[in-house]
């Protein structure tokens, strides 16, 4: 069984390219079906598959009898409307133990922009749950991911990998505090109501801003989040007309097109008499048109712009990283041992079936001898001799037929199989 992974992340691909290959959670079942159909063309086995898509990465994990990395790359390139040759330079490919190691590092927060961040583990669990519900997950990937969750838990509980980490949410507040002297005097708008916006709104709420508002496509979900902090709720359709009311705008939705355009921001600045606006676009693809950043009174940050902020304190966690890597190494070895054992199952079953055939043959012969009235002691002797000869026949043939070049190797194999000392 082969396991492989193909991905692009914040270290290999720019933000706009990552946006072209982002998958919304509700798109994953259909995408998984398309991927598995594409990879099973010809005589290839339909693979197990899972897709992890976040603001910082898109990764495909697969398992089948044989690796199909080129076909996986072709499928991903097609979904983003890019030639495979162009996408290849922005991706990484991993197989077997290296694919397992990568999955374990991702789950543990070691491969994140925010070293040690915990959000990725929840996103990975969501991706696995979606793949399972779509019928795309089999025993191999299930083992891989369940073990990755266990390793991540061990890393969290046994090391300080998550200590001192600055999340994207905390980084947003830190940047806002550098622009505004008193966050208690600003009005904050959150666009979206997903997990990331929940995190950011919690951090801003702790600074007690003058007011907070939630703009979301689903008013019900927006109202649910707004009720926690006494925030207002508004429709996305009202966003262009009310944008000027807010000093800080943090957006993170699953929209495939920008929700806040250059023209809307220019009109908002004019109504604000060019008082500065702080904007954070945490979405991939972008929620805010990139041209907005060029406006003189706009301070716009993307997920990539926050990289320098979230790296603060990273030096304090290098020792914890080394400890985490030891735990991950053990997890990888355990998974690969399971893979080897699993691959040997058909052979074990075949050996057991052959042994049962030999046993049944000798029993039938022994019963016939007993029915003829032969001495039971002689019957038992014949039965044991017959079984022994059948069991040793293959080894004897190999020893006798071995060439001088392979004789030593054959002798060692027979010794390991038949002369192993009892423990």
């Amino acid at each position: 069984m082969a396991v492989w992974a193909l991905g692009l992340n914040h270290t290999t691909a720019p933000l706009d390219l990552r946006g072209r290959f982002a998958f919304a959670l509700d798109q994953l079942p259909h995408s998984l079906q398309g991927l598995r159909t594409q990879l099973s063309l010809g005589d290839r086995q339909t693979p197990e598959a899972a897709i992890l898509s976040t603001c910082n990465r898109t990764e495909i994990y697969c398992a089948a009898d044989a690796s199909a990395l080129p076909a996986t790359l072709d499928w991903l390139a097609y979904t983003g409307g890019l030639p495979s040759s162009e996408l290849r330079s922005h991706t990484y490919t991993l197989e077997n133990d290296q694919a397992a190691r990568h999955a374990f590092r991702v789950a543990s927060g070691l491969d994140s922009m925010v070293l040690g961040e915990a959000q990725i583990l929840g996103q990975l669990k969501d991706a696995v749950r979606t793949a399972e519900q779509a019928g795309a997950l089999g025993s191999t990937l299930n083992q891989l991911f369940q073990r990755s969750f266990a390793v991540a838990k061990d890393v969290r509980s046994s090391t300080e990998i998550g200590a001192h980490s600055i999340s994207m949410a905390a980084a947003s507040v830190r940047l806002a505090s550098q622009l505004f002297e008193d966050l208690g005097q600003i009005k904050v708008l959150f666009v979206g109501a997903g997990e990331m916006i929940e995190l950011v709104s919690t951090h801003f709420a702790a600074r007690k801003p003058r007011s907070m508002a939630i703009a979301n496509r689903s008013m019900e979900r927006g109202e649910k989040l707004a009720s926690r902090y006494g925030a207002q709720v508004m429709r996305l359709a009202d966003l262009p007309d009310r944008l000027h009311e807010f000093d800080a705008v943090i957006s993170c939705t699953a929209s495939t097109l920008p929700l806040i355009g250059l023209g809307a921001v220019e009109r908002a600045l004019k109504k604000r008499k060019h008082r500065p606006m702080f904007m954070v676009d945490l979405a991939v693809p972008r929620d805010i048109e990139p041209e907005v950043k060029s406006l003189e009174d706009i301070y716009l940050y993307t997920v990539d712009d926050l990289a320098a902020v979230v790296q603060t304190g990273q030096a304090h966690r290098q020792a914890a990283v080394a400890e985490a890597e030891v735990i991950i190494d053990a997890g990888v070895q355990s998974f690969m041992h399971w893979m080897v054992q699993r691959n040997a199952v058909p052979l074990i079953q075949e050996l057991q079936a052959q042994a049962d055939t030999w046993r049944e043959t000798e029993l039938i012969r022994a019963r016939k001898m007993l029915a003829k009235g032969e001495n039971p002691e002689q019957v038992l002797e014949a039965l044991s001799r017959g079984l022994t000869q059948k069991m040793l026949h293959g080894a004897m043939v190999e020893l006798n037929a071995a060439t001088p070049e392979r004789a030593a190797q054959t002798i060692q194999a027979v010794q390991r199989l038949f002369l192993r000392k009892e423990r």
Side-chain angles (χ1 to χ4, degrees):
M1 200 74 176
V3 175
W4 69 94
L6 166 74
L8 63 156
N9 64 16
H10 58 283
T11 65
T12 68
L15 173 60
D16 287 331
L17 184 64
R18 297 201 307 272
R20 295 181 69 165
F21 296 96
F23 295 85
L25 201 59
D26 58 1
Q27 293 177 329
L28 288 183
H30 177 72
S31 299
L32 284 166
Q33 182 182 0
L35 169 63
R36 298 178 76 215
T37 299
Q38 179 68 27
L39 295 187
S40 61
L41 292 178
D43 296 329
R44 288 196 295 253
Q45 172 197 19
T46 301
E48 303 175 31
I51 299 174
L52 170 65
S53 185
T54 74
C55 59
N56 287 327
R57 73 183 64 244
T58 292
E59 294 180 343
I60 299 172
Y61 294 86
C62 295
D65 286 345
S67 175
L69 271 169
T72 309
L73 176 66
D74 290 343
W75 178 84
L76 183 60
Y78 176 78
T79 65
L82 207 66
S84 299
S85 57
E86 188 175 340
L87 177 61
R88 185 178 293 108
S89 62
H90 294 286
T91 62
Y92 41 89
T93 57
L94 306 149
E95 295 185 85
N96 299 323
D97 61 330
Q98 292 305 312
R101 183 181 306 280
H102 182 74
F104 293 174
R105 295 186 85 254
V106 168
S108 301
L110 268 67
D111 194 63
S112 298
M113 182 184 289
V114 184
L115 183 63
E117 58 100 0
Q119 187 183 6
I120 185 63
L121 182 58
Q123 293 168 329
L124 184 56
K125 287 182 176 180
D126 287 341
V128 172
R129 189 179 304 112
T130 300
E132 186 174 23
Q133 292 171 349
L137 212 62
S139 58
T140 300
L141 285 189
N142 185 60
Q143 275 287 326
L144 173 69
F145 290 123
Q146 293 306 319
R147 287 169 183 262
S148 74
F149 301 155
V151 164
K153 182 179 180 181
D154 200 0
V155 167
R156 291 273 166 203
S157 59
S158 304
T159 74
E160 294 186 1
I161 193 68
H164 315 295
S165 67
I166 301 175
S167 68
M168 291 289 186
S172 300
V173 175
R174 174 177 289 194
L175 287 171
S177 65
Q178 292 175 2
L179 178 62
F180 302 108
E181 289 185 9
D182 183 4
L183 294 187
Q185 296 301 312
I186 69 170
K187 294 182 177 181
V188 185
L189 171 65
F190 301 102
V191 183
E195 185 178 357
M196 180 58 78
I197 290 297
E198 287 188 42
L199 289 170
V200 181
S201 60
T202 299
H203 280 75
F204 268 96
R207 304 296 289 269
K208 295 181 170 54
R210 183 176 173 187
S211 70
M212 293 168 57
I214 309 287
N216 192 56
R217 197 174 307 279
S218 165
M219 290 293 287
E220 182 181 354
R221 187 165 182 176
E223 288 170 353
K224 184 177 179 181
L225 178 59
S227 64
R228 299 183 193 176
Y229 310 110
Q232 306 171 29
V233 183
M234 57 184 281
R235 299 181 306 161
L236 275 180
D238 296 333
L239 188 58
D241 295 331
R242 295 190 56 186
L243 194 58
H244 67 281
E245 300 175 20
F246 303 98
D247 306 294
V249 179
I250 295 87
S251 186
C252 186
T253 75
S255 175
T256 57
L257 296 173
L259 298 174
I260 302 175
L262 178 63
V265 178
E266 286 177 328
R267 290 191 295 274
L269 282 175
K270 187 175 181 180
K271 290 180 180 179
R272 290 173 60 81
K273 297 185 177 8
H274 289 273
R275 283 182 291 117
M277 288 181 71
F278 172 77
M279 307 184 83
V280 177
D281 188 353
L282 295 172
V284 178
R286 296 176 190 255
D287 278 345
I288 303 173
E289 287 185 346
E291 293 79 9
V292 169
K293 194 168 189 174
S294 64
L295 297 177
E296 186 175 347
D297 298 301
I298 292 295
Y299 297 82
L300 171 62
Y301 298 88
T302 66
V303 286
D304 288 355
D305 293 328
L306 295 179
V309 179
V310 302
Q311 296 306 324
T312 304
Q314 188 143 304
H316 299 292
R317 299 193 295 279
Q318 290 310 309
V321 169
E323 295 173 1
E325 294 287 10
V326 172
I327 296 172
I328 289 170
D329 282 342
V332 171
Q333 291 176 16
S334 176
F335 175 71
M336 294 310 295
H337 179 66
W338 176 84
M339 286 277 286
V340 170
Q341 285 184 319
R342 185 171 182 269
N343 290 338
V345 168
L347 177 59
I348 292 172
Q349 292 173 336
E350 192 174 348
L351 284 172
Q352 290 174 334
Q354 180 64 76
D356 283 341
T357 300
W358 289 337
R359 182 179 62 84
E360 187 64 30
T361 300
E362 292 304 317
L363 279 174
I364 291 172
R365 182 182 171 202
R367 290 190 182 105
K368 288 181 178 179
M369 292 173 67
L370 289 172
K372 292 178 181 179
E374 295 188 28
N375 188 313
E377 286 295 328
Q378 293 178 340
V379 173
L380 288 174
E381 182 69 24
L383 184 147
S384 63
R385 190 183 304 112
L387 278 175
T388 302
Q389 289 174 346
K390 284 179 169 60
M391 291 173 62
L392 295 178
H393 176 72
M396 294 301 186
V397 170
E398 288 296 321
L399 285 169
N400 291 328
T403 62
E405 296 79 13
R406 297 196 58 185
Q409 184 179 354
T410 303
I411 290 171
Q412 290 176 0
V414 171
Q415 287 174 334
R416 286 197 306 271
L417 291 170
F418 296 99
L419 301 179
R420 182 187 297 270
K421 291 192 179 352
E422 296 289 340
R423 293 185 178 178

